């Protein structure tokens, strides 16, 4: 049957309002809402037009929804106050579709399911234990993206300038999904955000959605603390600290790949400097105009996800195998490319030459022309 929720997701990702979709269809936005809520089923001609307007094959509207099981978490999402509902919906859909790509590739086993850390430890201790489990010890994390991918975290990319955060995450049916907002902020901020999302999944995987919303500020601080100690382990960091001046802070940034502001705060939190010294460093950073763009930011490259693109390419090695993969995932080809950090036209050229947007073969149940109007579900 026609999946109204899928219509809503595609419309949102295509950055189109219900009214903008309704006008060229010659219907009201209320009718579009009824389609999306499953209260009405559109006629075949309406489905054809929607497919054309949204640049997708008709069959994408018929993908069944998957169920969330008890191993799923809420969406760990920052910037809850100053980010629009539309952008928040986009980022949540991206995570859900990332899971669908993994499911279509039959890559749903994950070592994260067996990862266990003593819950009685403090947050800094948990971060330290995880680094030890992963064989990093007290050393800097050279590449945060690669580290997460090696250990089974699935990282997808989006480009939402209106989203004032670098990443969000969710555990879906036991599978950890992280969505990076492409090229927002700086490379070092993105690294910290990835460590922050890792902290949420380690610390808060059992938190209910309503509880996360109520305790958002508290839980954000906990994830922030985890990220701080994961990237700046106390023992390793102490050894690199000398009497702290801004020149030394820049030197530390080069080694640990963490922002000057975060380094100064970490020094205060660990007792290496006092509050007045930390305030002095932050004032210096502010007066130099370094709050948004610091020294060395132009030297660090964004760490780009690799695993999801390779997974997609290994599955879709030619036209036939891509079409087989597409029939499982039923997502817009350009969105698959974007989520998996693949170049434009990796798959869209194959798809555009293989489907007729007006083809309704296999969907004869939509031929409701004898009813004379859209069919009530």
């Amino acid at each position: 049957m026609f999946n109204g929720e899928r219509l809503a997701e595609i419309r949102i990702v295509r950055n189109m309002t219900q009214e903008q979709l309704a006008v060229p269809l010659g219907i009201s936005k209320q009718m579009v809402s009824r389609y999306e809520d499953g209260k009405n089923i559109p006629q075949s001609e309406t489905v054809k037009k929607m497919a054309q307007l949204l640049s997708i094959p008709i069959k994408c509207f018929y993908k069944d929804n998957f169920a969330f099981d008890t191993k799923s978490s809420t969406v760990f999402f920052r910037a809850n106050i100053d980010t629009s509902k539309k952008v928040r919906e986009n980022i949540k859909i991206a995570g859900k579709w990332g899971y669908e790509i993994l499911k279509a590739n039959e890559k749903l086993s994950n070592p994260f399911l067996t990862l266990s850390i003593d819950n009685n430890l403090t947050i800094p201790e948990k971060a330290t234990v995880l680094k030890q489990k992963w064989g990093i010890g007290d050393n800097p994390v050279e590449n945060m993206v690669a580290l997460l991918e090696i250990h089974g975290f699935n990282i997808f990319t989006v480009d939402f300038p209106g989203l004032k955060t670098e990443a969000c995450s969710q555990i879906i049916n036991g599978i950890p999904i992280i969505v990076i907002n492409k090229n927002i902020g700086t490379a070092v901020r993105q690294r910290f955000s990835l460590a922050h999302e890792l902290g949420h999944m380690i610390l808060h995987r059992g938190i209910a959605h309503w509880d996360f919303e109520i305790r958002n500020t508290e839980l954000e601080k906990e994830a922030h603390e985890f990220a701080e100690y994961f990237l700046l382990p106390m023992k390793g960091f102490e050894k690199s600290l000398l009497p702290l001046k801004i020149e030394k802070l820049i030197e530390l940034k080069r080694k640990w790949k963490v922002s000057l502001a975060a380094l100064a705060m970490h020094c205060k939190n660990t007792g290496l400097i006092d509050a007045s010294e930390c305030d002095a460093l932050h004032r210096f950073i502010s007066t130099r105009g370094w709050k948004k763009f610091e020294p060395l930011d132009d030297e660090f490259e964004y760490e780009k996800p690799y695993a999801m693109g390779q997974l997609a390419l290994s599955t879709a090695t030619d036209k036939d195998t891509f079409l087989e993969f597409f029939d499982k995932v039923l997502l817009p080809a350009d969105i698959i490319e974007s989520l998996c950090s693949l170049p434009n036209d990796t798959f869209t050229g194959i798809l555009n030459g293989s489907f007729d947007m007006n083809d309704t073969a296999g969907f004869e149940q939509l031929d409701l022309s004898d009813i004379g109007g859209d069919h009530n579900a």
Side-chain angles (χ1 to χ4, degrees):
M1 295 294 292
F2 183 87
N3 187 337
E5 184 177 330
R6 180 65 59 168
L7 167 62
E9 291 175 349
I10 295 170
R11 174 185 60 76
I12 290 167
V13 170
R14 292 300 193 213
N15 198 29
M16 189 177 291
T17 66
Q18 289 180 337
E19 185 172 9
Q20 287 170 331
L21 180 60
V23 170
L25 291 174
I27 60 177
S28 67
K29 70 175 184 179
Q30 288 79 12
M31 182 57 72
V32 173
S33 178
R34 291 183 67 83
Y35 293 157
E36 294 180 353
D37 291 340
K39 295 176 180 177
N40 281 64
I41 298 174
Q43 288 185 324
S44 58
E45 285 303 314
T46 303
V47 176
K48 289 180 186 179
K49 291 179 182 178
M50 286 193 296
Q52 292 171 338
L53 291 167
L54 295 169
S55 299
I56 59 164
I58 285 175
K59 61 173 65 180
C60 288
F61 292 127
Y62 297 86
K63 173 76 178 288
D64 290 335
N65 297 326
F66 67 85
F68 289 84
D69 66 20
T70 56
K71 297 189 291 293
S72 299
S73 74
T74 185
V75 178
F76 302 121
F77 185 79
R78 300 172 74 183
N80 282 329
I81 296 175
D82 59 357
T83 302
S84 70
K85 179 181 177 182
K86 180 177 70 174
V87 175
R88 292 174 65 182
E89 287 175 334
N90 261 292
I91 200 83
K92 290 177 183 179
I93 292 168
K96 179 183 175 184
W97 285 7
Y99 176 83
E100 292 185 8
I101 290 171
L102 291 167
K103 189 175 181 182
N105 281 283
E106 300 179 355
K107 295 292 183 181
L108 294 182
S109 60
N110 201 292
F112 179 74
L113 293 172
T114 60
L115 183 61
S116 177
I117 297 177
D118 186 352
N119 201 42
N120 293 317
L121 298 175
T122 65
I123 290 175
E125 288 171 340
K126 289 178 180 178
T128 301
V129 166
L130 181 58
K131 288 193 74 173
Q132 291 171 346
K133 283 178 176 285
W134 285 355
I136 307 168
D138 296 324
N139 298 312
V141 178
E142 291 300 322
N143 188 311
M144 192 68 200
V145 167
L147 177 68
L148 291 172
E149 289 188 330
I150 287 170
H151 290 282
F153 290 78
N154 306 285
I155 304 178
F156 298 91
T157 57
V158 294
D159 189 2
F160 297 148
L163 179 63
K164 298 179 182 179
T165 191
E166 288 78 21
C168 79
S169 60
Q170 185 176 19
I171 302 168
I172 299 179
N173 299 345
I175 305 303
I177 306 287
I178 299 176
V179 179
I180 297 176
N181 195 10
K182 186 178 180 181
N183 298 334
I184 295 296
T186 63
V188 292
R189 282 189 57 184
Q190 186 184 83
R191 283 167 51 86
F192 199 94
S193 288
L194 287 168
H196 180 103
E197 299 307 324
L198 173 62
H200 274 311
M201 288 189 278
I202 296 296
L203 302 173
H204 306 139
R205 67 175 83 178
I207 297 291
H209 172 74
W210 62 267
D211 197 13
F212 186 80
E213 290 291 326
I214 293 172
R215 299 170 55 204
N216 183 261
T217 300
E218 172 194 349
L219 300 180
E220 284 293 298
K221 287 181 178 178
E222 291 179 358
H224 198 86
E225 183 180 8
F226 181 95
E228 178 183 332
Y229 283 90
F230 189 84
L231 293 173
L232 299 168
M234 187 61 186
K235 290 182 180 178
F237 186 74
E238 274 184 321
K239 295 175 183 177
S240 61
L241 190 69
L242 297 172
L244 194 57
K245 296 182 179 180
I246 196 67
E247 293 80 10
K248 182 59 182 179
L249 212 60
I250 293 173
E251 182 184 331
L252 292 173
K253 178 176 178 176
R254 189 184 299 278
K255 176 178 180 178
W256 294 95
K257 300 181 183 178
V258 175
S259 72
L260 300 179
L263 284 165
M265 187 61 68
H266 183 65
C267 290
K268 186 192 79 168
N269 291 342
T270 53
L272 296 171
I273 61 175
D274 61 29
S276 62
E277 291 173 300
C278 181
D279 289 343
L281 286 168
H282 278 117
R283 283 196 300 272
F284 186 90
I285 291 169
S286 181
T287 57
R288 291 297 179 95
W290 291 350
K291 281 198 168 184
K292 290 188 177 180
F293 194 82
E294 300 178 347
L296 303 183
D297 279 344
D298 56 350
E299 295 185 20
F300 294 126
E301 293 185 1
Y302 286 92
E303 297 169 0
K304 297 181 180 179
Y306 176 80
M308 293 303 101
Q310 289 304 301
L311 176 63
L313 290 173
S314 67
T315 302
T317 56
D318 55 28
K319 178 179 177 179
D320 291 338
T321 53
F322 172 74
L323 294 178
E324 182 180 345
F325 163 68
F326 179 82
D327 280 340
K328 293 179 180 178
V329 72
L330 290 179
L331 293 172
D334 59 313
I335 299 299
I336 298 173
E337 293 166 349
S338 176
L339 286 171
C340 294
S341 302
L342 292 170
N344 295 340
D345 298 327
T346 301
F347 297 135
T348 47
I350 296 174
L351 190 60
N352 291 340
S354 302
F355 289 98
D356 178 358
M357 296 296 183
N358 294 319
D359 181 14
T360 56
F363 303 110
E364 289 81 2
Q365 72 271 27
L366 290 179
D367 188 6
L368 306 171
S369 54
D370 57 321
I371 296 177
D374 287 358
H375 178 55
N376 288 327

